[in-house]
Amino acid sequence: MKLVIIERDGALCVEREGYLRSPDDWQAQPGALEAIAQLNHAGYQVVISAIWSGLGQGQFDMATVNAIQARMSKQLAAVGGRVDAVFFCPHAPDEACDCRKPQPGLLRQIGERYKINLAQVHAVGSSARDMQAAHAAGCIAHLVLTGKGAPASIEPLPPEFPPGVQVHADLAAFAAARIAADEAVAAANAAPSPPA
């Protein structure tokens, strides 16, 4: 199984002050929906991870969450893409859960659900907290520079970013790089062996 986990806020959609409170607040990052469609067509299952702490704080209810996710799914379908699942942390910040980033609990839940070694999973996010969670879970960490948490400098990344983070301009650049890397591996495996 080829699996990519994408953090919603900043990587997939435009970050809002406060919370996404209605479907009208949902706005995809430029090229992000098409990037997911490209990953799908390349054989990847895509899972979205999100923090919905407004649920735990009573700011909105599950009907609102479902309506926002339905809008996302409809827009994805319009470009030939889909997400396999959405995993989210519903807890308020003071609940000390293990699924609120930078804790790795949400990513580990995804690994358990899919029965996959997270060392084979590419996790894409837009902040140091996303990268810390990906690193702690053992995922291959990819930073996109489209969120509010993007660093001012990437060479080198600031010390709060774990080692080994791969940096991409946006989700479309990540998808292109990932697909190109897969094609290079496939081509190398298909090449005839040199004569003995």
Side-chain angles (χ1 to χ4, degrees):
M1 176 192 299
K2 298 197 301 184
L3 182 67
V4 171
I5 302 170
I6 299 172
E7 171 63 26
R8 185 196 63 194
D9 295 334
L12 176 57
C13 75
V14 175
E15 288 182 90
R16 299 275 184 179
E17 292 297 332
Y19 308 110
L20 296 180
R21 297 178 184 275
S22 77
D24 291 339
D25 289 340
W26 161 265
Q27 180 184 351
Q29 292 282 4
L33 300 177
E34 292 82 0
I36 290 178
Q38 290 166 359
L39 289 166
N40 293 153
H41 297 156
Y44 280 94
Q45 293 188 42
V46 175
V47 172
I48 304 302
S49 67
I51 303 298
W52 284 104
S53 56
L55 272 174
Q57 296 173 318
Q59 301 288 330
F60 48 77
D61 57 17
M62 274 304 301
T64 302
V65 171
N66 291 336
I68 292 169
Q69 293 181 171
R71 178 178 172 127
M72 176 191 73
S73 295
K74 183 177 180 181
Q75 291 182 2
L76 265 170
V79 297
R82 70 187 183 288
V83 296
D84 199 58
V86 178
F87 282 70
F88 62 89
C89 167
H91 305 108
D94 60 359
E95 291 186 66
C97 64
D98 74 343
C99 52
R100 185 178 179 84
K101 295 173 183 179
Q103 299 300 319
L106 196 61
L107 299 175
R108 289 181 176 156
Q109 288 175 31
I110 295 168
E112 290 167 8
R113 172 79 63 86
Y114 284 87
K115 297 180 172 53
I116 190 171
N117 179 355
L118 288 174
Q120 303 167 359
V121 173
H122 299 270
V124 184
S126 64
S127 70
R129 293 168 64 90
D130 295 341
M131 297 300 96
Q132 291 162 4
H135 182 74
C139 297
I140 304 163
H142 297 267
L143 175 70
V144 292
L145 303 177
T146 49
K148 292 181 178 177
S153 171
I154 60 170
E155 293 183 3
L157 284 169
E160 63 268 23
F161 286 82
V165 171
Q166 299 177 44
V167 182
H168 311 273
D170 54 21
L171 196 56
F174 160 76
R178 184 75 251 125
I179 292 166
D182 287 349
E183 289 173 348
V185 169
N189 290 340
S193 301

